[in-house]
Amino acid sequence: MRVVSGHAFSQIVSGHVIVCGLNELGFRIAEQLHTAGVAVVVIERRDVGPLRRRLERWGIPVLADSAHTGDALRQASIAGAMALIACHDIDLDNLETALVATEIAPELRLVVRVTNAPLGDQLGAALPSVRVLNLAEKAGHSFVEACIRSDVRHAFRLGSEIFTVVDVPVRTAGAFRQVFGNLTPVALRRPGARQVEVCPSRDTGVTPGDHIALLGRLADFADNGVRVSSVHDVNALANLSAHRTDPPSGRAGRRRRPHAWIRDLAVTTAAEFDRPFRLALGAVLTIMTIGTLVLSLTYANNDPAAPADFGPLDAFYLTVTTMATVGYGDFSFGAAASWLQAFGIALILLGALSIAIVYAFITNVIISRRLERTIGHGRATTVRDHVIVCGLGSVGLATVEGLVAAGRDVVIVERDANNRFLSVVRDLKVPVVFGDATVRATLMEAGLARATTLAALTSDDVANLEAVLSAREAFNDHHADRRRAGRRPHRPGRGRGRRRHRSGIDPARTRAPGSDGNGNGDGEPGLRVVLRIFDTTLADEAERRFAIHTARSASALATPWFVGAALDYEVVSTFYVDREPFLVARITVVAGGGLDGPTLQELSTGTRLLAIATSSEHDGTPDRAPNYRPTRHTRLRPGDEVLVVGPTAQIIDTVSRNQAPRVRS
């Protein structure tokens, strides 16, 4: 495979990948393929100048034409292409591209982005050569992991086994293999270092103060004396990573404190009795008290028709019936003295008016509460230790579903009251606050002061950055005001076994460089902020300059799945350690390829090998169980299935070395 330059489409013969659609995802796919040395051709009819110029500087040709036409696909040499990836923002465009490509090259490997799940199922059934992928589904689980305070960074299933990535502080000096045994080192973070050491050797020295991300099964952690604090998160995150979790319904899976409904009822009732309501109700009670007192003292002496035994209870009865304008079947003011009749008239007018106002408030409460229950808004005033998700797009929805499945409470902030996903969150019983997430009042209405995490997941990078900065400032100001007033600030994570933040100040402003900001470093957790952003360079700068805990790109998270499907290797899972993205892939060793023959010690790929399933072709016996503890002397042979973890570029390089025989000069 070779990379072509400029617009020399005529030089492209075979072995390239055609990318249809130059958006965030299309750019990431082309960039990753180019970095791995795979020839790429991009087709995009829109004017996307900045992205196009960046690709052309790398020598990636961009064809300004519609991918729906056979001429454009033929000009991109579809007959000799390795694969075609349709990644337009609109499902219909991707569907049309897939149908045209199938007509021209029926055997071509197609990877199609589809947001609508039923449409994706139908397309996969109609075109067996098509691999349908959903960006939100592939990226959502990583945002869920970023929102959860846990030493478990990631978990994924492989058959009946669950592999877990755990962030562990180093407490003993020595070589890695002496301290952590046969666990797999994924990333090592030294105090004060900006970048992590990726896939360090087991002979690497570690010292107290270092943090290391380890990968293994729970049994492996126990065997090597490493304690995993948040074991309860492992199964939930593994299900999310495998995309096996159906959208949850109701409040299934959420952890609720005993008698929490009593607190919810009390807080909700107090919230409904606002000042105008209290004034109206106070007016009714005042008029009722005055009327009862006046009538009990004067009615019997100023009305000849009054019974001799007229008492306080009769006076209260006459007052209520007069105010409600439903009486005078027994007591009345018809024969009373003139001044008492005037008092009765005033009692009727003032009483009826005040009661009507109270009825209006009650009606408003009943209607608003019913509407709030319909969209779940009412619980936003009572929920605690929750995650605020700003933006209810496809990525935001996938994150909300994942958080609910993981047992976390969620409040959504959404600008559009007609959002198409509202029916889904209504079924999930998730509260929704309508408003601008960059406005402090909207964030406080969503319970920012009681939240543990805020995730800005709209498609607008600037709005996301503004939202997280505004939220952090509002959170700090609120708790500072409470401390000045002598009140105890709310502590995020209280009651869940988490470390508690004594000051209420965001530790992101005081944590030392290299601290993870996740409650596992030196600083205690305040409000954790998660930012969705497209540009990875801007994401790094945002994390460093603004002390944002996690800034991630949805398209960058989903890209390895599209690239893996195009290059025909299996992506098992993707995850992040700090700013470094990692990929877990399953590769079958090809005879004559670069993985055939050498031992693991001789094979230097920049990745870590997790397991080997030996092929039965070697000795004629049934397939052996996977070896989860390969040594440096383990030798790979054709047909072996290997599970590798590492940065995406190194994984793709390993796949390329495996597929193409090595050429010796």
Side-chain angles (χ1 to χ4, degrees), residues 406-651:
R408 265 60 178 186
D409 287 313
V410 184
V411 173
I412 299 171
V413 177
E414 169 57 35
R415 189 192 299 261
D416 183 9
N418 298 314
N419 187 288
R420 62 194 178 102
F421 295 124
L422 285 177
S423 60
V424 179
V425 299
R426 184 182 304 127
D427 293 338
L428 297 176
K429 303 294 191 297
V430 174
V432 180
V433 174
F434 292 107
D436 190 341
T438 63
V439 177
R440 177 176 298 199
T442 304
L443 296 173
M444 298 307 294
E445 185 180 355
L448 177 66
R450 305 179 302 276
T452 61
T453 306
L454 181 136
L457 305 180
T458 73
S459 57
D460 186 337
D461 288 358
V462 176
N464 289 338
L465 183 58
E466 186 179 355
V468 298
L469 295 179
S470 176
R472 193 170 61 188
E473 182 181 8
F475 183 89
N476 293 336
D477 290 347
H478 172 81
H479 286 286
D481 291 342
R482 289 184 66 89
R483 285 193 304 278
R484 284 193 293 268
R487 290 179 291 177
R488 188 176 183 180
H490 172 70
R491 296 170 178 176
R494 185 178 181 181
R496 293 191 179 183
R498 305 290 196 271
R499 295 177 61 190
R500 298 202 291 260
H501 188 231
R502 285 189 289 271
S503 68
I505 299 176
D506 181 15
R509 294 189 174 183
T510 59
R511 60 189 174 103
S515 174
D516 64 355
N518 193 28
N520 299 322
D522 297 332
E524 293 182 349
L527 177 71
R528 181 170 177 78
V529 292
V530 177
L531 173 67
R532 176 187 175 185
I533 198 165
F534 165 64
D535 193 298
T536 53
T537 302
L538 180 59
D540 291 342
E541 288 300 312
E543 286 190 347
R544 187 168 65 91
R545 300 288 184 183
F546 300 109
I548 292 173
H549 302 127
T550 306
R552 295 180 179 175
S553 166
S555 55
L557 288 165
T559 294
W561 298 87
F562 286 84
V563 172
L567 300 185
D568 198 25
Y569 65 89
E570 181 182 357
V571 176
V572 177
S573 190
T574 57
F575 63 94
Y576 266 78
V577 176
D578 289 355
R579 300 181 181 93
E580 189 67 39
F582 286 85
L583 174 63
V584 182
R586 180 158 39 199
I587 303 171
T588 301
V589 177
V590 176
L595 304 185
D596 178 13
T599 63
L600 299 187
Q601 186 176 16
E602 298 168 343
L603 186 65
S604 177
T605 61
T607 63
R608 302 297 305 183
L609 194 143
L610 304 179
I612 300 175
T614 305
S615 172
S616 60
E617 297 176 359
H618 303 328
D619 50 21
T621 60
D623 288 348
R624 301 171 183 172
N627 175 15
Y628 293 111
R629 296 181 177 179
T631 68
R632 66 180 74 182
H633 305 295
T634 302
R635 190 177 301 276
L636 300 179
R637 293 180 289 183
D640 290 350
E641 282 191 349
V642 295
L643 189 72
V644 293
V645 59
T648 303
Q650 280 74 12
I651 294 291

Side-chain angles (χ1 to χ4, degrees), residues 354-420:
S354 61
I355 289 178
I357 293 175
V358 171
Y359 283 165
F361 275 116
I362 293 175
T363 302
N364 178 68
V365 168
I366 292 174
I367 294 175
S368 63
R369 293 300 296 167
R370 179 169 296 178
L371 291 175
E372 288 172 354
R373 281 198 303 271
T374 302
I375 61 173
H377 177 273
R379 293 195 57 257
T381 60
T382 63
V383 68
R384 289 173 176 266
D385 297 332
H386 57 290
V387 178
I388 299 176
V389 175
C390 304
L392 190 57
S394 56
V395 174
L397 177 62
T399 304
V400 169
E401 290 180 339
L403 288 168
V404 172
R408 265 60 178 186
D409 287 313
V410 184
V411 173
I412 299 171
V413 177
E414 169 57 35
R415 189 192 299 261
D416 183 9
N418 298 314
N419 187 288
R420 62 194 178 102

Side-chain angles (χ1 to χ4, degrees), residues 85 89 104 111 167 254 294 301 346 365 392 402 472 530 541 565:
I85 302 176
D89 292 321
I104 300 174
V111 185
D167 188 84
R254 297 195 192 180
V294 170
N301 298 326
V365 168
L392 190 57
R472 193 170 61 188
V530 177
E541 288 300 312

Side-chain angles (χ1 to χ4, degrees), residues 320-342:
V320 172
T321 56
T322 301
M323 293 177 64
T325 65
V326 296
Y328 305 140
D330 35 23
F331 304 122
S332 69
F333 294 96
S338 299
W339 73 267
L340 192 57
Q341 288 182 351

Side-chain angles (χ1 to χ4, degrees), residues 165-186:
V165 180
V166 181
D167 188 84
V168 177
V170 177
R171 306 191 187 280
T172 305
F176 174 87
R177 66 174 69 253
Q178 296 173 344
V179 179
F180 296 106
N182 57 12
L183 290 169
T184 300
V186 174

Side-chain angles (χ1 to χ4, degrees), residues 93-145:
D93 291 340
N94 294 324
L95 177 61
E96 292 180 6
T97 299
L99 294 176
V100 173
T102 303
E103 285 291 327
I104 300 174
E107 302 301 323
L108 180 66
R109 187 182 306 127
L110 297 178
V111 185
V112 181
R113 173 189 177 183
V114 177
T115 302
N116 186 291
L119 176 61
D121 294 339
Q122 293 294 327
L123 180 61
L127 302 175
S129 62
V130 172
R131 175 75 184 278
V132 177
L133 296 176
N134 186 321
L135 180 145
E137 180 184 89
K138 300 305 181 185
H141 72 87
S142 187
F143 284 106
V144 173
E145 292 166 353

